[in-house]
Amino acid sequence: MLNNQIQLNSKQKDNLLKSRFKVSTLTTWLALCGFGLSSPAYSKDSTLKEEEEKKVVVTGSRIKKVDLNNLKPILSISREEFDKQGFASAKDVIDSITQNTGGTVDNSFTFGFTPAASSVNIRGLGFGHTLVLVDGRRLPIYPVGINGTSNFVDLSSIPTAFIERVDVLTDGASAVYGSDAVSGVINVITRKDIEGISMNYRFGDTSDGGFTNHRYNLMTGARNGDTQIDLIFDIWSQDALLATQRDYANSDVADASGSYSAGGVSFLGLNSGFVYQHPDCGTANDPIGGLSIADVDVSVFSSGELWCGFDRAPYRQLIAPQDKFSLMTRLSYEVTPDLTLFSRIGYSNSETDTQAEPNFYGGALFNGFGTAVLNNGAILPPGAVNNPTTGSAFEEPGVFVRRLVEFGPRQTKIENNSINMLLGLEGSFANGQYDWEMGLSFNRTELDSDSNNILLSALNSAVDNGLDLFETIPQSVVNALTFNANQESYSSNRVFDFSISGDLPVSLDAGPIQFALALEYVNEKYRDNPDPLVLQGDAFDGQTSGGGERDHLGIGGELSFPFSDKFELDIALRWDDYDDASSVNSAVSPRIAMAYRANENFLTRFSWGRSFRAPDMQRLFGGQTESFIDILDPEFLVDTNGLPCTDITAPDCSPTLIQSVSLLTGANIDLKEEEGSNLNLGFVLEFDNGLDLSIDYFQVELDEVVTAINPQSIVNLCTFQGLLCENVVRDGAGTLFGSSAFIESNAVNFAEQDTSGIDLIINYDWRNDSGVWSTSLNITRVNEFVTQFADGSRRIENVELGFLPEYRANFVMDWDKERWGATFRLNYVDKLGGAFCNGFCDKTEFVDSWTTTSVSGRYEIGDYTRIIMGINNLGNEAPPQDPTQTTWPFFINGSGYYNAVGREFYFQVDTTF
């Protein structure tokens, strides 16, 4: 259920259902989509007439008006719905809406550069294409990009306790807000005017173990004359969810398609290509603490190779542990009846601890040489004292291939400190005919990341000089070669904004023409400082880097024409200008929207506008980032036995999976801004019997899309279309295995990305002797999602058998009677193509659809305390397996479509003093 305001009590619901108002606002109805319908909510002392006459600023416009004909599709999720439906954070809410067809990234993405943050991908157009606001104002970007490339606003930085409601505009809004509002706007409205003291405690735990979590909120506020002060504390703590706590991910071979890593304890002969396993491999006497696995069949260089293997999964996390503390205070002072001063200060601190298996080592053949210490890359010549073949009949040069267990698991501690400050004035003049607001804000996010790392060149040198990796590495060597890799990053913005709205001295049949003018100036900076040794390429694990600054000026205006009680027309126009070292300059974004109400039950609405998005700071000013990725190499085809195909047209012939291919991602100062258009056509039906329905057709066309193209797509485009082959660098043998091989994916403007679809919302509420009932069905269908990488190239469809689900749906039913209540929620994600189906998926490469259900019950104890108990994922549904993914964790992790939490029980108590 979605509400713009607070919840009605039972008596108010009964009265409202009996009278069932006939002149309802579309703001209310559209706010009810997606989470079940509840009646329009009013404070206890208000009346329907007072609410209708109240002028408000609705997300998607700066005009303050009585919004009888909302021209924009808006979801509004109240704090009350957070609790009823078991959402623990703003990210959980956005995850659940059906318009979020591109999923999210969160701290289940433990192998990425951003395991401490979360981001959303509404309409699938890319992270950062949805504008995130707090009280209508911009936040700074997260200083580290997703995959080292894409900047975004961290949703997890907004504590749940601060939130009154979340408005989600699912249409483009560049004409009002400027850059980034391409696929929509998320506007978090914070709490204000708190009275008394309220406390909230939530405890959650899972039936299969892991992810135990606690949330504690304290809110207090008071008014003294003309002064209101609010204070909010929020504490959140979550334990790790380890791979060993889920059967489907507790081993590298938890699925039959998986295989252990080749990195146990082996020696690769460079003349023969033979793999010499440690003689004690697979026993307790091996040099890595009995963790090796004998005779692992992994085709690294040729089929039929048997390696001393290693199981990585016991070290891995499905969700990283995190602790967070947040504080917000708000002050407002009524200087005069027409002038109010307001301020808000917020601070947040979080710590996230990630862990992965110990580093893989294979000398210069696999890891490179490093730079700080001269070395021969640990390529051991025949006769070397630590060469296992020395003295044998098969003496030959070679390299150790090994997991560096003695150095411990790779662990990173990420500390995030954020501060936001706002000071402003708002008021009215000319007897309330004109309203204005002015604000000055400063926001800064700082990251301090520490991880254990190994000096690559020094390890190579130690092996060159006799370190025997068929023996346990001495602790003295571990101590000498280990260093703490520190990365310090920050981002900030300084924002000045001014807006004025009111009535023009020109009236139409339904009232005066209304206007709004707005000015916004933003100065934003970011700096990402990696450890010097990491930057020099002398470490095992990479970090991102870069830094830049730019100024942004936006000036916009809106006009609203109430031609009659049945027809309304809005137009908006905004000019934005960017000043930085790039070639991005200015853009003009127009928008037109209209609504026609044929009668009190039926309304039609239409909007069209131009949108634009300035390139990410990371893509303009970032340094080169190295990461590792698994690739299906279509140049090397194998059969089901892992043997080279003699007939490449055979049905069992498929590309070879290459693990840990080096991926280099870089910036491009010559990027242009993205430009596009948004179209929305909708119909709303409202009936007196408690039923209402809305259906909206959306279309987004985006040109000059900025992206670092997916590396699998780069390889595929090179093989099948002869495009981007300069970005695929193979080793001397023509493979992607060796340390000299890499894929380069720099930021570019490619031709086009288009999507269209349907949002359907059906709400129905009724009353009977058993109580008040509310239901909602919300369905999004993606008709098409087409990508064209270059002018003249083939257009690739990415729906259903591509990278997006064709359907997302949820259904919510809520029951309320006196002090009791209950909520049921169903969430559905349609099938989609596997991550490694080469963009040409067939039906055997589907990821199955995923359906989960959740339930909760609540009871009010007296007038001041409420208890909620619930179960998320009642059926304990595991994420569906990706049939194309033959490596851990065997499902599309960190996507927002699925999560590994499983069945979660939670208990919550709210009390007010």
Side-chain angles (χ1 to χ4, degrees):
M1 293 188 301
L2 307 177
N3 301 293
N4 278 333
Q5 310 293 329
I6 64 173
Q7 291 291 302
L8 288 172
N9 60 35
S10 299
K11 183 177 179 180
Q12 287 172 308
K13 288 182 178 179
D14 291 347
N15 291 338
L16 185 58
L17 283 166
K18 290 175 182 177
S19 60
R20 193 63 189 180
F21 63 94
K22 294 185 177 181
V23 188
S24 72
T25 69
L26 279 185
T27 303
T28 301
W29 294 119
L30 296 174
L32 301 175
C33 53
F35 294 87
L37 177 66
S38 68
S39 303
Y42 312 105
S43 63
K44 292 182 179 180
D45 297 326
S46 67
T47 66
L48 180 61
K49 180 178 178 180
E50 289 171 343
E51 190 66 25
E52 288 180 347
E53 290 178 350
K54 182 179 179 180
K55 290 184 177 182
V56 295
V57 176
V58 178
T59 298
S61 174
R62 298 187 187 276
I63 296 177
K64 182 178 287 190
K65 62 180 179 177
V66 179
D67 204 22
L68 294 178
N69 293 318
N70 195 323
L71 307 182
K72 298 161 288 294
I74 298 175
L75 310 175
S76 189
I77 307 102
S78 71
R79 165 75 181 210
E80 181 75 3
E81 294 309 317
F82 279 40
D83 296 337
K84 286 182 178 180
Q85 298 189 46
F87 301 134
S89 67
K91 192 277 300 181
D92 291 345
V93 175
I94 305 303
D95 256 354
S96 71
I97 67 173
T98 62
Q99 291 82 359
N100 185 25
T101 52
T104 57
V105 164
D106 57 21
N107 64 353
S108 65
F109 195 48
T110 55
F111 276 87
F113 291 103
T114 58
S118 64
S119 179
V120 66
N121 189 3
I122 291 178
R123 303 299 189 202
L125 291 170
F127 299 101
H129 286 71
T130 302
L131 179 63
V132 178
L133 307 171
V134 171
D135 292 330
R137 291 179 168 88
R138 291 176 178 261
L139 292 175
I141 60 172
Y142 194 70
V144 177
I146 294 174
N147 295 323
T149 60
S150 300
N151 289 130
F152 62 96
V153 172
D154 178 18
L155 280 174
S156 68
S157 68
I158 307 172
T160 308
F162 295 6
I163 301 173
E164 178 65 29
R165 72 175 193 273
V166 177
D167 290 347
V168 184
L169 172 64
T170 58
D171 190 17
S174 290
V176 177
Y177 296 112
S179 179
D180 301 335
V182 175
S183 60
V185 178
I186 298 171
N187 189 14
V188 177
I189 309 301
T190 60
R191 290 181 168 185
K192 55 181 68 72
D193 297 331
I194 300 171
E195 296 182 2
I197 300 174
S198 298
M199 291 191 299
N200 167 285
Y201 173 72
R202 183 188 189 275
F203 169 78
D205 203 358
T206 61
S207 59
D208 293 334
F211 196 63
T212 302
N213 54 83
H214 305 263
R215 186 186 72 202
Y216 175 72
N217 304 152
L218 173 64
M219 294 141 284
T220 183
R223 173 170 287 277
N224 183 9
D226 298 325
T227 304
Q228 170 76 35
I229 186 168
D230 303 316
L231 185 63
I232 302 175
F233 294 91
D234 184 283
I235 298 173
W236 170 262
S237 176
Q238 68 184 43
D239 293 344
L241 177 55
L242 304 176
T244 52
Q245 294 173 306
R246 296 295 180 266
D247 291 342
Y248 53 81
N250 62 6
S251 167
D252 280 345
V253 293
D255 183 84
S257 64
S259 63
Y260 294 113
S261 163
V265 188
S266 301
F267 184 81
L268 176 65
L270 295 181
N271 287 344
S272 66
F274 186 77
V275 178
Y276 301 88
Q277 299 184 56
H278 191 282
D280 291 326
C281 181
T283 74
N285 297 320
D286 73 14
I288 59 173
L291 297 175
S292 63
I293 301 166
D295 298 330
V296 171
D297 185 358
V298 180
S299 299
V300 177
F301 291 103
S302 62
S303 60
E305 296 172 344
L306 295 178
W307 293 79
C308 182
F310 186 84
D311 190 356
R312 298 161 293 183
Y315 289 90
R316 292 182 169 181
Q317 301 166 330
L318 289 165
I319 297 177
Q322 187 176 69
D323 293 302
K324 183 183 296 184
F325 167 78
S326 303
L327 167 70
M328 183 182 78
T329 181
R330 180 194 299 275
L331 174 70
S332 64
Y333 173 65
E334 189 177 293
V335 181
T336 71
D338 295 324
L339 179 64
T340 300
L341 180 145
F342 60 89
S343 66
R344 186 188 70 231
I345 299 176
Y347 169 76
S348 179
N349 169 270
S350 69
E351 182 180 312
T352 307
D353 299 296
T354 68
Q355 176 178 291
E357 67 275 4
N359 286 107
F360 173 88
Y361 179 67
L365 182 65
F366 290 96
N367 301 94
F369 288 89
T371 57
V373 179
L374 292 176
N375 65 88
N376 294 318
I379 308 297
L380 299 181
V385 295
N386 56 340
N387 185 328
T389 68
T390 295
S392 72
F394 309 102
E395 193 170 289
E396 63 176 315
V399 60
F400 286 110
V401 178
R402 191 185 192 278
R403 194 63 64 168
L404 301 176
V405 172
E406 296 88 344
F407 290 84
R410 290 174 285 169
Q411 295 177 325
T412 301
K413 177 180 179 180
I414 305 168
E415 185 174 4
N416 184 339
N417 287 282
S418 299
I419 187 168
N420 59 83
M421 296 182 288
L422 169 66
L423 179 65
L425 291 168
E426 63 179 353
S428 61
F429 60 94
N431 294 320
Q433 184 176 354
Y434 304 103
D435 299 289
W436 62 275
E437 184 173 323
M438 178 175 63
L440 182 65
S441 60
F442 171 76
N443 307 279
R444 183 180 173 97
T445 296
E446 297 180 352
L447 297 182
D448 193 303
S449 174
D450 290 290
S451 57
N452 57 320
N453 217 317
I454 304 169
L455 194 62
L456 173 60
S457 62
L459 178 57
N460 284 343
S461 177
V463 175
D464 290 338
N465 289 287
L467 178 65
D468 189 353
L469 295 189
F470 262 24
E471 302 291 336
T472 299
I473 301 174
Q475 187 62 43
S476 58
V477 175
V478 172
N479 294 340
L481 300 183
T482 300
F483 73 97
N484 176 63
N486 176 258
Q487 180 178 17
E488 295 182 344
S489 310
Y490 78 87
S491 66
S492 68
N493 68 10
R494 293 173 172 84
V495 182
F496 171 79
D497 61 82
F498 175 82
S499 64
I500 183 171
S501 67
D503 300 337
L504 292 176
V506 179
S507 291
L508 301 175
D509 288 348
I513 298 174
Q514 296 175 297
F515 78 97
L517 296 174
L519 180 146
E520 181 184 49
Y521 169 78
V522 183
N523 169 264
E524 55 182 334
K525 302 178 182 178
Y526 99 100
R527 178 66 59 185
D528 190 3
N529 299 314
D531 188 276
L533 290 174
V534 176
L535 189 62
Q536 294 169 19
D538 210 352
F540 276 72
D541 294 309
Q543 296 173 340
T544 58
S545 64
E549 178 179 3
R550 66 183 175 193
D551 294 325
H552 166 211
L553 176 65
I555 300 174
E558 299 175 62
L559 290 172
S560 179
F561 300 89
F563 287 103
S564 70
D565 293 336
K566 294 184 176 182
F567 180 66
E568 182 178 0
L569 171 70
D570 283 8
I571 59 173
L573 184 69
R574 176 166 167 137
W575 172 79
D576 287 271
D577 182 72
Y578 281 81
D579 183 11
D580 56 27
S582 76
S583 58
V584 178
N585 292 311
S586 60
V588 176
S589 304
R591 185 177 189 271
I592 182 171
M594 61 185 71
Y596 176 71
R597 182 178 288 277
N599 53 54
E600 63 185 25
N601 301 122
F602 180 72
L603 179 137
T604 304
R605 63 182 172 203
F606 166 83
S607 65
W608 175 89
R610 298 290 300 174
S611 60
F612 90 101
R613 183 173 185 266
D616 291 328
M617 299 272 279
Q618 181 82 33
R619 296 192 188 278
L620 290 172
F621 309 117
Q624 188 174 75
T625 299
E626 182 178 15
S627 57
F628 298 92
I629 191 168
D630 295 345
I631 291 292
L632 284 172
D633 191 350
E635 298 286 343
F636 292 88
L637 303 178
V638 294
D639 60 22
T640 53
N641 296 316
L643 300 175
C645 289
T646 56
D647 178 10
I648 62 174
T649 63
D652 63 346
C653 208
S654 61
T656 302
L657 177 66
I658 315 298
Q659 298 187 37
S660 301
V661 178
S662 177
L663 172 64
L664 302 181
T665 307
N668 183 355
I669 195 66
D670 295 321
L671 291 173
K672 298 181 292 184
E673 63 272 16
E674 300 174 357
E675 298 179 343
S677 63
N678 299 74
L679 182 146
N680 191 92
L681 176 63
F683 305 93
V684 180
L685 288 167
E686 304 167 355
F687 301 98
D688 293 340
N689 63 355
L691 173 68
D692 68 88
L693 176 150
S694 68
I695 182 168
D696 284 270
Y697 169 80
F698 66 87
Q699 181 186 76
V700 185
E701 297 180 349
L702 202 56
D703 297 325
E704 301 295 341
V705 176
V706 176
T707 189
I709 300 176
N710 179 283
Q712 183 67 64
S713 297
I714 292 175
V715 173
N716 294 343
L717 286 168
C718 176
T719 298
F720 300 117
Q721 299 189 40
L723 299 172
L724 303 178
C725 290
E726 66 276 11
N727 294 71
V728 182
V729 178
R730 297 178 179 271
D731 60 19
T735 77
L736 295 172
F737 286 115
S739 64
S740 61
F742 61 88
I743 300 170
E744 189 172 17
S745 180
N746 294 329
V748 295
N749 290 99
F750 70 78
E752 187 177 348
Q753 200 165 59
D754 302 333
T755 185
S756 66
I758 299 289
D759 294 327
L760 171 66
I761 300 159
I762 303 174
N763 299 301
Y764 180 56
D765 67 350
W766 72 97
R767 173 186 176 275
N768 56 28
D769 292 340
S770 60
V772 177
W773 300 80
S774 303
T775 60
S776 178
L777 175 65
N778 195 4
I779 300 173
T780 293
R781 180 183 188 272
V782 182
N783 296 339
E784 67 168 358
F785 192 99
V786 177
T787 301
Q788 186 178 28
F789 290 98
D791 290 331
S793 67
R794 187 172 66 87
R795 289 165 61 87
I796 298 175
E797 174 63 65
N798 295 129
V799 176
E800 188 187 53
L801 297 183
F803 305 123
L804 296 181
E806 185 176 4
Y807 289 95
R808 288 200 68 170
N810 61 50
F811 172 78
V812 175
M813 174 177 285
D814 184 76
W815 165 75
D816 186 84
K817 184 175 183 180
E818 298 176 349
R819 297 184 180 275
W820 295 89
T823 303
F824 169 84
R825 174 168 53 93
L826 180 146
N827 183 71
Y828 172 80
V829 179
D830 199 14
K831 59 185 180 295
L832 70 159
F836 295 98
C837 67
N838 283 315
F840 306 101
C841 310
D842 61 41
K843 292 185 178 181
T844 65
E845 297 174 315
F846 278 50
V847 177
D848 289 339
S849 62
W850 198 51
T851 303
T852 58
T853 57
S854 301
V855 295
S856 71
R858 57 191 183 271
Y859 177 69
E860 297 177 4
I861 303 174
D863 295 331
Y864 303 105
T865 302
R866 181 179 64 173
I867 293 175
I868 300 176
M869 299 180 68
I871 305 174
N872 289 327
N873 194 351
L874 183 63
N876 201 22
E877 299 293 334
Q881 179 191 355
D882 180 351
T884 71
Q885 191 165 333
T886 59
T887 58
W888 184 96
F890 310 107
F891 70 94
I892 303 176
N893 194 25
S895 65
Y897 301 128
Y898 325 108
N899 70 68
V901 172
R903 183 188 295 117
E904 180 194 19
F905 303 92
Y906 65 92
F907 168 82
Q908 179 174 317
V909 58
D910 307 315
T911 186
T912 302
F913 301 95

